[in-house]
C-alpha cells in the first residue's frame, strides 16, 4: 500500500523487518523446543546461544536472496552468520540446528498467521472506537427529527440518532466476524515437508505455537489451508462494505439539495481549485473508493484456496500484496471514518425543513389507516389518499405553491376525517411512539 494510505502501526506489521523478526523468533523457539525435547542433539546451552546471537538485517537478506532466489534460505543463511560469528575456532557451529526438520512453509505460514493476528487486533480496536462513537452520537441525536428515505424518496419520519444507531449495530456485527476470523487465522504449522512430521517431533509445533498464542493446525499438509486466509479477507471485505455504506450515506446527506449532514471542513481547507465555494465530501468518497480495493482483494483470497496437491506457491505472491494492502487500507479507512463521524456536522434545522418539503405527503400511511378505521375499505381509502397525494406531488414538481396535503384532504368531500384526527395524523412524533425500544436495545450494545 502506498504511504498516503498507511498508518504507522499497521504499516510496521507488514514491513519486512517485522516479518523477519517473527521468522527469527519461530526459528529460535523451535531450537529451544528441540533442546527441551532432548532428541535432536541440540543442548539447552546451544539453544540459549542461538537466542542470544541470532540476528539479521533486511539489506543482508536481500543481497543473499539475489543469489539463492529463495527468501527463507537467504534468511537462515544471514541468521546463521550472526549465530556463528563469535563461536571459538574448532567448536561446532550452533547454527546447524536452525530450521532443523522444518520446511519453508512451516516458517512462513506460521509467521503470517502471527502477522494476521497482529493486524486484526488493530482493526478490532478501530471497530471498537468507531462503534462507540456511533453509539454516543446516536443518543446525542435521539430526539432530532428527520425524514426517512426509501429508494431515495421521502418515506416516514425518524430521528437522526437512528442513523448513527444502525451504523453502531453494523460495526458490532463486523466486530463479531473479525473475532471469528482471528480465531481461525491464529493457527500455526511446523509439520515438515508434507505435514507428516517426518523429521520433526510434533512437540516442536506445540511448543512454538503456544509461545506465539497460536493453535497447531490438526492437519496442515505442507501449508495452512487458504480457506483460513479467505475467511479473514472476506471479513475485511464485509467490514469495508460497512464503512462504504456509512460513507455513502454521508455523501448523500451532504448533497446541496439535501445538506442534512456534512463531513468536517477544516480551517484552511480548499474545496475546489476552480470553484472556491465548494465543500466536497472527499473523505467519504475516498473511503468508498478504497472499499473497492479491499472487496476486490477478497476475490484473490478465494482464488488462493485451491492449490495443487499438498502445496504450490500460486497463492504466495498474490497474498503478499492482497493481505497487506487490505489490512492497511481498511485501517486507514477506519481512521478517516472516525475523524468524519466524530466531527460530523448534523444540521437538525435543515432536517426538519426537508421533512416538510413534500407538504405532508410523508403522512399518507397514517391517513390510509385512519380512513380504514372509519369503516372504509382499504381500496377505497387508497384512492382518496393517492389522488390527493399525486395532486400535491404535481405541484411540487412544477414548483407551484399549491395546497398542502392536509389542505387537500380537508377540501376533499370524500374524506371523512375530522380536524382532531388530522391533527394527530400530521404530527411527525406519532410515528415514533416506540422509538425508545430502539434506543433501549442500543443501550445494551457493548464493544
Amino acid at each position: 500500500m502506498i504511504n498516503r494510505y498507511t498508518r504507522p502501526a499497521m504499516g510496521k506489521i507488514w514491513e519486512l523487518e517485522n516479518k523477519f523478526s517473527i521468522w527469527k523468533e519461530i526459528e529460535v523457539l523451535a531450537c529451544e523446543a528441540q533442546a527441551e525435547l532432548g532428541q535432536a542433539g541440540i543442548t539447552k546451552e546451544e539453544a540459549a546461544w542461538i537466542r542470544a546471537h541470532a540476528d539479521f538485517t533486511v539489506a543482508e537478506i536481500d543481497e543473499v536472496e539475489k543469489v539463492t532466489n529463495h527468501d527463507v534460505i537467504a534468511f537462515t543463511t544471514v541468521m546463521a552468520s550472526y549465530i556463528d560469528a563469535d563461536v571459538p575456532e574448532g567448536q561446532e557451529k550452533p547454527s546447524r540446528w536452525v530450521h532443523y526438520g522444518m520446511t519453508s512453509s512451516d516458517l512462513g505460514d506460521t509467521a503470517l498467521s502471527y502477522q494476521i493476528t497482529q493486524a486484526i487486533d488493530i482493526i478490532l480496536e478501530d471497530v471498537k472506537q468507531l462503534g462507540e462513537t456511533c453509539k454516543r452520537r446516536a443518543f446525542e441525536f435521539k430526539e432530532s427529527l428527520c425524514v426517512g428515505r426509501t429508494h431515495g424518496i421521502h418515506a416516514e419520519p425518524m430521528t437522526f440518532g437512528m442513523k448513527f444507531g444502525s451504523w453502531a449495530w453494523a460495526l458490532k456485527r463486523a466486530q463479531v466476524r473479525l473475532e471469528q476470523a482471528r480465531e481461525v487465522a491464529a493457527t500455526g504449522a511446523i509439520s515438515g515437508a508434507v505435514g507428516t512430521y517426518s523429521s520433526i517431533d510434533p512437540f516442536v509445533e506445540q511448543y512454538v505455537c503456544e509461545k506465539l498464542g497460536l493453535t497447531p493446525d490438526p492437519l496442515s499438509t505442507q501449508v495452512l489451508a487458504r480457506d483460513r486466509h479467505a475467511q479473514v479477507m472476506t471479513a475485511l471485505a464485509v467490514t469495508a462494505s460497512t464503512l462504504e455504506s456509512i460513507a455513502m450515506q454521508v455523501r448523500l446527506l451532504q448533497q446541496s439539495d439535501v445538506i442534512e449532514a456534512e463531513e468536517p471542513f477544516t480551517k484552511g481547507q480548499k474545496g475546489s481549485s476552480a470553484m472556491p465555494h465548494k465543500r466536497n465530501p472527499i473523505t467519504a468518497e475516498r473511503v468508498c473508493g478504497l472499499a473497492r480495493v479491499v472487496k476486490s482483494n477478497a476475490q484473490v483470497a478465494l482464488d488462493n484456496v485451491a492449490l495443487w496437491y499438498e502445496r504450490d506457491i500460486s497463492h504466495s505472491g498474490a497474498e503478499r500484496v492482497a493481505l497487506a494492502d487490505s489490512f492497511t487500507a481498511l485501517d486507514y479507512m477506519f481512521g478517516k471514518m472516525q475523524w468524519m463521524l466524530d466531527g460530523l456536522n448534523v444540521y437538525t434545522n435543515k432536517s426538519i425543513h426537508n421533512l416538510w418539503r413534500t407538504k405532508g405527503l410523508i403522512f399518507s400511511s397514517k391517513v390510509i389507516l385512519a380512513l380504514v378505521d372509519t369503516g372504509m375499505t382499504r381500496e377505497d381509502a387508497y384512492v382518496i389518499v393517492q389522488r390527493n397525494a399525486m395532486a400535491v406531488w404535481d405541484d411540487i414538481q412544477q414548483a407551484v405553491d399549491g395546497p398542502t396535503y392536509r389542505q387537500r384532504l380537508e377540501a376533499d368531500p370524500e374524506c371523512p376525517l375530522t380536524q382532531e384526527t388530522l391533527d394527530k395524523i400530521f404530527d411527525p412524533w406519532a410515528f415514533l411512539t416506540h422509538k425508545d425500544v430502539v434506543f433501549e436495545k442500543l443501550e445494551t450494545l457493548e464493544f
Side-chain angles (χ1 to χ4, degrees):
M1 180 55 65
I2 62 175
N3 288 336
R4 180 181 178 88
Y5 303 133
T6 302
R7 298 206 289 178
M10 183 63 79
K12 288 183 184 303
I13 288 173
W14 300 105
E15 288 176 356
L16 289 174
E17 184 74 31
N18 184 55
K19 183 179 81 168
F20 291 142
S21 292
I22 300 169
W23 282 16
K24 183 182 80 170
E25 181 63 14
I26 290 171
E27 292 286 3
V28 171
L29 286 171
C31 289
E32 291 173 344
Q34 296 277 22
E36 187 78 22
L37 194 61
Q39 290 183 0
I42 181 174
T43 65
K44 291 185 178 180
E45 290 74 22
E46 287 176 306
W49 177 280
I50 290 170
R51 177 166 288 283
H53 293 83
D55 209 349
F56 66 89
T57 69
V58 174
E60 289 174 303
I61 294 170
D62 286 345
E63 284 301 309
V64 175
E65 189 179 358
K66 290 177 182 178
V67 177
T68 63
N69 199 27
H70 196 293
D71 56 351
V72 172
I73 294 175
F75 167 78
T76 55
T77 299
V78 170
M79 196 169 86
S81 70
Y82 280 90
I83 293 170
D84 295 340
D86 296 326
V87 175
E89 189 70 30
Q91 185 174 318
E92 290 183 331
K93 307 295 186 182
S95 68
R96 70 190 189 280
W97 302 116
V98 172
H99 210 66
Y100 188 88
M102 294 170 58
T103 188
S104 297
S105 293
D106 290 338
L107 180 61
D109 276 10
T110 303
L112 181 59
S113 292
Y114 189 75
Q115 281 180 285
I116 289 172
T117 62
Q118 288 180 312
I120 290 183
D121 286 344
I122 289 179
I123 298 296
L124 283 170
E125 185 58 35
D126 291 338
V127 173
K128 179 178 184 293
Q129 184 180 15
L130 188 60
E132 289 174 345
T133 296
C134 288
K135 178 180 176 180
R136 170 176 54 80
R137 301 216 72 186
F139 284 96
E140 181 182 347
F141 295 102
K142 177 182 176 182
E143 307 294 336
S144 299
L145 276 173
C146 66
V147 67
R149 297 172 174 88
T150 58
H151 303 276
I153 307 301
H154 287 200
E156 291 186 355
M158 60 182 291
T159 74
F160 206 94
M162 294 174 68
K163 292 182 182 289
F164 276 110
S166 69
W167 301 340
W169 282 113
L171 289 164
K172 181 61 182 179
R173 293 190 294 274
Q175 182 185 56
V176 172
R177 290 188 198 98
L178 288 163
E179 288 172 343
Q180 293 171 340
R182 189 193 190 284
E183 183 178 356
V184 168
T187 306
I190 299 181
S191 54
V194 290
T196 61
Y197 305 97
S198 58
S199 300
I200 195 165
D201 193 286
F203 171 80
V204 177
E205 179 183 70
Q206 182 67 43
Y207 183 93
V208 172
C209 287
E210 183 177 333
K211 294 293 185 180
L212 295 175
L214 306 176
T215 301
D217 191 301
L219 203 166
S220 59
T221 68
Q222 189 181 103
V223 294
L224 293 172
R226 258 45 195 178
D227 62 279
R228 298 178 182 277
H229 305 72
Q231 183 169 345
V232 170
M233 292 287 278
T234 51
L236 298 182
V238 175
T239 304
S241 296
T242 294
L243 297 188
E244 179 186 20
S245 174
I246 299 170
M248 180 76 76
Q249 292 194 54
V250 172
R251 291 170 62 190
L252 291 168
L253 290 165
Q254 190 167 333
Q255 290 182 100
S256 299
D257 297 328
V258 179
I259 197 59
E260 292 180 15
E262 183 181 40
E263 66 179 53
F265 194 84
T266 58
K267 184 179 180 180
Q269 184 174 338
K270 302 294 190 293
S272 166
S273 62
M275 297 166 285
H277 72 278
K278 296 290 290 295
R279 288 165 63 127
N280 300 323
I282 58 170
T283 304
E285 290 174 341
R286 192 179 309 163
V287 168
C288 289
L290 287 173
R292 298 168 189 168
V293 174
V294 182
K295 291 187 295 183
S296 63
N297 282 345
Q299 184 61 55
V300 174
L302 293 169
D303 290 342
N304 281 346
V305 174
L307 301 177
W308 283 20
Y309 298 110
E310 280 60 57
R311 181 221 183 184
D312 66 54
I313 62 166
S314 60
H315 64 287
S316 179
E319 75 183 9
R320 290 186 195 211
V321 175
L323 272 167
D325 279 5
S326 292
F327 273 109
T328 304
L330 187 59
D331 176 54
Y332 175 86
M333 290 162 64
F334 267 107
K336 288 301 178 183
M337 291 298 291
Q338 176 61 33
W339 173 83
M340 183 172 68
L341 295 184
D342 187 47
L344 189 70
N345 297 309
V346 178
Y347 303 127
T348 55
N349 289 340
K350 187 59 189 293
S351 294
I352 293 174
H353 170 78
N354 285 342
L355 186 145
W356 292 102
R357 279 182 66 186
T358 52
K359 297 185 174 184
L361 291 182
I362 60 173
F363 299 95
S364 68
S365 62
K366 293 289 188 184
V367 175
I368 194 170
L369 293 178
L371 290 173
V372 170
D373 287 342
T374 68
M376 189 179 296
T377 67
R378 184 174 179 85
E379 289 72 21
D380 290 342
Y382 200 100
V383 171
I384 295 171
V385 172
Q386 188 181 49
R387 180 177 65 228
N388 288 283
M390 292 303 102
V392 173
W393 187 251
D394 288 342
D395 285 347
I396 292 171
Q397 303 316 307
Q398 298 301 321
V400 173
D401 188 18
T404 66
Y405 188 43
R406 175 170 178 168
Q407 289 168 340
R408 285 194 176 274
L409 290 170
E410 290 172 337
D412 190 330
E414 295 184 25
C415 180
L417 300 178
T418 66
Q419 290 295 318
E420 181 181 2
T421 300
L422 290 171
D423 286 343
K424 293 179 181 178
I425 289 172
F426 283 83
D427 175 8
W429 289 107
F431 289 86
L432 298 167
T433 55
H434 297 299
K435 71 173 173 53
D436 286 348
V437 173
V438 171
F439 287 93
E440 286 167 6
K441 292 176 182 177
L442 186 61
E443 189 70 61
T444 67
L445 180 60
E446 295 183 359
F447 287 91

